[in-house]
Amino acid sequence: MDDFNQIEVPPSFLALFTSPSGHRLTEPMSEVRRRYELCEDLAQMLTEQASTVAFKSGEPEREVLRKMQTGLCVEGSPVSAKEAVWVVTRLAELLGWEAPQPD
């Protein structure tokens, strides 16, 4: 088994790629792992930026997260809209902030 296959994808992320019946993935597991790594890295990288924006702007944490999600959903973004929601939810978790309500 190579190291890549040892990445444990959390159920919350697997749900993004699970068929409506809940019985199988809609993408190969290798692709799900690749997408998870991208999204997890993105959430980790955005922690400092989110903290700085909240501190400097004085905006509520939820508003900062909402704006980040909007930015992640623009055309050309490396993540899908569903992944953007996951990234922002994970970002809130990392910062200890309350996650924004789904639209």
Side-chain angles (χ1 to χ4, degrees), residues 27-100:
E27 296 288 333
M29 191 59 185
S30 60
E31 178 64 9
V32 174
R33 280 190 192 100
R34 189 182 73 74
R35 300 301 303 168
Y36 167 68
E37 281 190 283
L38 170 70
C39 291
E40 178 65 25
D41 288 349
L42 190 54
Q44 295 283 343
M45 290 184 333
L46 288 173
T47 57
E48 187 174 336
Q49 182 179 350
S51 294
T52 301
V53 168
F55 178 75
K56 286 185 176 182
S57 71
E59 290 182 316
E61 296 163 351
R62 281 184 152 186
E63 183 63 16
V64 171
L65 293 171
R66 188 193 64 74
K67 287 181 177 179
M68 292 196 140
Q69 184 173 329
T70 299
L72 289 169
C73 289
V74 298
E75 188 175 333
S77 174
V79 296
S80 70
K82 290 190 305 187
E83 289 170 331
V85 171
W86 188 90
V87 168
V88 169
T89 302
R90 177 69 174 132
L91 176 59
E93 182 180 280
L94 291 167
L95 292 168
W97 293 359
E98 191 171 331

